[in-house]
Amino acid sequence: MSLYPQARFLKSANAPGQFVEDVGAEVAFAGRSNAGKSSAINVIVNRRQFARTSKTPGRTQLVNFFHLRDGARIVDLPGYGYAKVASRMRDHWADLMADYFESRRSLKGLFLIVDIRRRLGDFDHQMLGFADTVGLPTHVLLTKADKLKRGQAATALLEVRRELGDATSVQNFSASNRHGEDEARARLEEFLEASE
Ligand SMILES: Nc1nc2c(ncn2[C@@H]2O[C@H](COP(=O)(O)OP(=O)(O)OP(=O)(O)O)[C@@H](O)[C@H]2O)c(=O)[nH]1
Ligand SMILES: [Mg+2]
């Protein structure tokens, strides 16, 4: 059974004017391209191919809004870190992200999705910076934890926690074996409910 039976794709936006109405609460998912954002959303919402079903070419640079239930949304932010992306696209991305973080009153939390094997990169720190600027609580999912041995995954978690300190919560996660799904969902709900 779906935990979010009403969950559905709402729309993709390429400019602030296209964002859905700024009411209720939403939590944004950000991360490097291919980090596992869509897979994490699918596990948390408990629907196969949910975040992916609406995928169309070029969508990587779009802000995707999903309805979770009345008054609650998930936002799949454009993936970043493609070396080949033209600088004009990178500028567009930075402008769109700055605009999104500064203007969204309904934005209640940020999930940062990081491949546990790569650790945090410059763009990840930039996202945490955006969140910090506007006082947004953040949660880091170190995903693809199934790709590491248990001990290595535990060490990675400790190291990232030490690196980030109290600024953000951090957990290990795997979309493949669903490790950490309850913890992730609980944190999502905390962010959404803090606003009610
Ligand atoms: N082993 C393993 N593979 C994963 C996990 N999460 C995602 N993947 C794989 O990593 C690849 C990228 O996953 P996506 O969820 O599409 O990543 P994304 O961040 O949404 O990527 P973009 O939307 O293209 O930016 C896919 O081949 C997934 O099957 C995980 O927890 N474990
Ligand atoms: Mg995706």
XYZ file of all heavy atoms in Angstrom, residues 30-42 51-52 55 59-60 76-80 82 113 115 117 142-147 173-178, ligand 1:
331
model
N 17.764 17.771 -3.535
C 18.815 18.258 -4.416
C 19.968 17.274 -4.417
O 20.114 16.471 -3.493
C 19.305 19.627 -3.929
N 20.779 17.345 -5.437
C 21.943 16.467 -5.489
C 22.563 16.465 -6.868
O 21.941 16.890 -7.846
N 23.770 15.976 -6.907
C 24.504 15.833 -8.134
C 23.698 14.966 -9.115
O 22.964 14.084 -8.685
C 25.785 15.079 -7.772
C 26.951 15.383 -8.600
C 28.176 14.712 -7.992
N 29.344 15.183 -8.693
C 29.625 14.838 -9.949
N 28.887 13.974 -10.586
N 30.671 15.352 -10.542
N 23.858 15.199 -10.391
C 23.222 14.337 -11.379
C 23.659 12.905 -11.119
O 24.844 12.666 -10.875
C 23.640 14.740 -12.791
O 23.124 16.002 -13.089
N 22.691 11.997 -11.158
C 22.996 10.576 -10.978
C 23.280 10.167 -9.523
O 23.606 9.023 -9.251
C 24.194 10.174 -11.859
C 24.085 8.739 -12.292
O 23.018 8.298 -12.708
N 25.167 7.988 -12.183
N 23.149 11.103 -8.587
C 23.416 10.759 -7.188
C 22.385 9.764 -6.665
O 22.679 8.966 -5.776
C 23.402 12.013 -6.322
N 21.161 9.837 -7.223
C 20.104 8.927 -6.773
C 18.892 9.643 -6.195
O 18.149 9.070 -5.394
N 18.682 10.882 -6.638
C 17.540 11.670 -6.146
C 16.206 11.011 -6.446
O 15.374 10.818 -5.565
C 17.515 13.049 -6.824
C 18.339 14.086 -6.132
C 18.358 15.360 -6.954
C 19.274 15.238 -8.139
N 18.667 15.096 -9.433
N 15.995 10.708 -7.722
C 14.706 10.135 -8.126
C 14.478 8.794 -7.442
O 13.371 8.505 -6.980
C 14.653 9.969 -9.650
O 14.814 11.216 -10.290
N 15.540 7.997 -7.341
C 15.412 6.689 -6.687
C 15.044 6.858 -5.217
O 14.224 6.101 -4.682
C 16.731 5.919 -6.790
O 17.103 5.765 -8.142
N 15.644 7.849 -4.550
C 15.340 8.082 -3.133
C 13.883 8.514 -2.970
O 13.174 8.027 -2.075
C 16.285 9.147 -2.564
N 13.426 9.379 -3.852
C 12.024 9.833 -3.783
C 11.091 8.636 -3.975
O 10.116 8.474 -3.243
C 11.750 10.943 -4.835
C 12.483 12.238 -4.434
C 10.245 11.192 -4.976
C 12.422 13.347 -5.477
N 11.415 7.780 -4.934
C 10.555 6.618 -5.189
C 10.442 5.714 -3.962
O 9.358 5.219 -3.643
C 11.093 5.810 -6.373
C 10.900 6.514 -7.693
O 10.033 7.380 -7.822
N 11.711 6.173 -8.677
N 9.103 9.259 -9.403
C 9.779 10.488 -9.805
C 10.278 10.404 -11.236
O 10.592 11.403 -11.852
C 10.940 10.786 -8.859
N 10.360 9.195 -11.741
C 10.950 9.004 -13.054
C 9.908 8.983 -14.167
O 10.224 9.286 -15.309
C 11.717 7.678 -13.073
C 12.759 7.587 -14.122
C 13.694 6.448 -13.843
N 14.536 6.720 -12.686
C 15.257 5.796 -12.075
N 15.214 4.544 -12.469
N 16.009 6.110 -11.057
N 9.664 11.779 -16.475
C 10.942 12.233 -17.035
C 10.877 12.386 -18.553
O 10.509 11.482 -19.270
C 12.041 11.231 -16.680
C 13.437 11.764 -16.928
C 14.427 10.914 -16.157
C 15.799 11.574 -16.199
N 16.684 10.979 -15.210
N 14.747 17.411 -18.857
C 14.141 17.682 -17.553
C 15.159 17.886 -16.445
O 14.830 18.409 -15.393
C 13.212 16.532 -17.170
C 11.772 16.941 -17.087
C 10.970 15.873 -16.390
N 11.195 15.924 -14.964
C 11.111 14.865 -14.176
N 10.854 13.685 -14.664
N 11.291 14.999 -12.883
N 16.388 17.460 -16.694
C 17.400 17.581 -15.641
C 17.585 19.031 -15.200
O 18.052 19.273 -14.115
C 18.766 17.028 -16.111
O 19.002 17.505 -17.420
C 18.771 15.523 -16.065
N 11.710 17.978 -6.778
C 12.925 17.365 -7.306
C 13.686 18.467 -8.045
O 13.276 18.892 -9.119
C 12.508 16.225 -8.258
C 13.659 15.294 -8.614
O 14.801 15.547 -8.198
O 13.395 14.306 -9.332
N 14.773 18.945 -7.442
C 15.523 20.053 -8.046
C 16.454 19.541 -9.145
O 16.836 18.372 -9.139
C 16.325 20.783 -6.965
C 15.488 21.509 -5.912
C 16.386 22.122 -4.832
C 14.629 22.604 -6.557
N 16.819 20.437 -10.074
C 17.684 19.987 -11.168
C 19.015 19.439 -10.665
O 19.639 20.035 -9.789
C 17.900 21.247 -12.010
C 17.167 22.347 -11.381
C 16.440 21.839 -10.185
N 19.429 18.307 -11.213
C 20.720 17.721 -10.859
C 21.839 18.634 -11.326
O 21.688 19.364 -12.292
N 22.953 18.586 -10.622
C 24.055 19.459 -11.004
C 25.341 18.663 -11.087
O 25.402 17.519 -10.658
C 24.216 20.603 -9.997
C 24.076 20.201 -8.546
C 25.134 19.607 -7.864
C 22.879 20.410 -7.877
C 25.000 19.251 -6.532
C 22.741 20.046 -6.549
C 23.804 19.459 -5.878
O 23.665 19.104 -4.565
N 27.222 18.184 -14.039
C 27.641 17.692 -15.346
C 28.721 18.598 -15.901
O 28.490 19.778 -16.166
C 26.454 17.679 -16.326
C 25.783 16.336 -16.419
C 24.408 16.219 -16.301
C 26.538 15.189 -16.637
C 23.783 14.988 -16.378
C 25.916 13.950 -16.722
C 24.545 13.857 -16.591
O 23.938 12.649 -16.674
N 20.983 14.786 -1.490
C 21.288 13.399 -1.834
C 22.723 13.314 -2.327
O 23.081 13.960 -3.318
C 20.326 12.875 -2.939
C 18.867 13.261 -2.648
C 20.483 11.367 -3.114
C 18.339 12.853 -1.295
N 26.043 10.637 -3.149
C 26.576 9.284 -3.335
C 27.626 9.045 -2.249
O 28.625 9.773 -2.176
C 27.197 9.178 -4.737
C 27.659 7.760 -5.079
O 28.108 7.024 -4.165
O 27.590 7.400 -6.263
N 29.931 7.122 -1.916
C 31.295 6.862 -2.363
C 32.025 8.120 -2.808
O 33.243 8.165 -2.889
C 31.288 5.861 -3.533
C 30.664 4.520 -3.161
C 30.330 3.715 -4.393
N 29.370 4.424 -5.242
C 28.961 3.994 -6.416
N 29.423 2.867 -6.910
N 28.082 4.699 -7.106
N 23.190 9.903 2.558
C 24.357 9.299 1.907
C 23.839 8.022 1.266
O 23.673 6.989 1.939
C 25.439 8.999 2.941
C 26.065 10.229 3.606
C 27.091 9.800 4.656
C 26.718 11.139 2.567
N 23.559 8.123 -0.012
C 22.860 7.016 -0.667
C 23.823 6.072 -1.385
O 25.025 6.311 -1.439
C 21.768 7.559 -1.619
O 20.914 6.474 -1.966
C 22.365 8.191 -2.855
N 23.252 4.985 -1.915
C 24.028 3.893 -2.520
C 24.935 3.244 -1.461
O 26.023 2.750 -1.772
C 24.831 4.375 -3.733
C 23.970 5.137 -4.759
C 24.629 5.303 -6.101
C 23.808 6.231 -6.987
N 24.314 6.381 -8.343
N 24.477 3.271 -0.206
C 25.256 2.671 0.885
C 25.475 1.182 0.647
O 26.437 0.600 1.160
C 24.552 2.899 2.222
N 24.601 0.563 -0.159
C 24.766 -0.864 -0.483
C 26.035 -1.127 -1.276
O 26.488 -2.261 -1.373
C 23.533 -1.343 -1.275
C 23.317 -0.543 -2.554
O 22.794 0.598 -2.470
O 23.673 -1.028 -3.642
N 26.609 -0.066 -1.850
C 27.830 -0.224 -2.662
C 29.087 -0.342 -1.797
O 30.156 -0.643 -2.313
C 27.998 0.975 -3.604
C 26.887 1.122 -4.626
C 27.237 0.389 -5.899
C 26.340 0.851 -7.041
N 26.574 0.031 -8.242
N 21.723 5.573 3.415
C 20.497 5.227 2.705
C 20.841 4.342 1.517
O 21.942 4.410 0.975
C 19.832 6.524 2.206
C 18.484 6.336 1.566
C 17.330 6.302 2.347
C 18.362 6.214 0.183
C 16.076 6.145 1.757
C 17.115 6.043 -0.414
C 15.979 6.017 0.377
N 19.897 3.501 1.152
C 20.050 2.744 -0.093
C 18.693 2.549 -0.737
O 17.773 2.015 -0.112
C 20.679 1.373 0.179
O 20.517 0.544 -0.970
N 18.580 2.974 -1.975
C 17.338 2.748 -2.705
C 17.246 1.286 -3.133
O 16.157 0.763 -3.347
C 17.266 3.669 -3.931
N 18.396 0.614 -3.217
C 18.401 -0.781 -3.660
C 17.867 -1.727 -2.599
O 17.042 -2.592 -2.907
C 19.827 -1.210 -4.028
O 20.244 -0.524 -5.167
N 18.345 -1.589 -1.354
C 17.842 -2.497 -0.318
C 16.960 -1.778 0.712
O 16.591 -2.351 1.723
C 19.005 -3.232 0.370
C 19.936 -2.290 1.123
O 19.552 -1.178 1.493
N 21.155 -2.722 1.349
N 16.644 -0.543 0.435
C 15.734 0.284 1.235
C 16.265 0.573 2.634
O 15.497 0.952 3.524
C 14.327 -0.358 1.291
C 13.756 -0.637 -0.089
C 12.336 -1.159 -0.030
N 11.384 -0.121 0.270
C 10.602 0.470 -0.621
N 10.670 0.126 -1.894
N 9.759 1.402 -0.258
N 23.233 0.391 -6.008
C 22.449 1.473 -5.940
N 22.156 2.152 -7.079
C 21.379 3.251 -6.962
C 20.871 3.710 -5.724
N 20.157 4.839 -5.948
C 20.207 5.059 -7.272
N 20.947 4.120 -7.908
C 21.227 4.051 -9.352
O 21.926 5.237 -9.730
C 21.484 5.714 -11.010
C 20.948 7.146 -10.882
O 19.798 7.151 -10.058
P 18.676 8.293 -10.183
O 17.753 8.083 -9.060
O 18.114 8.347 -11.545
O 19.593 9.583 -9.932
P 19.173 11.122 -10.038
O 19.949 11.834 -8.988
O 17.690 11.275 -9.970
O 19.723 11.498 -11.468
P 19.299 12.731 -12.428
O 17.820 12.936 -12.316
O 19.727 12.284 -13.783
O 20.078 13.898 -11.936
C 20.434 4.722 -11.477
O 21.057 3.789 -12.316
C 19.969 4.053 -10.184
O 19.485 2.753 -10.384
C 21.204 2.940 -4.545
O 20.824 3.257 -3.411
N 21.991 1.841 -4.728
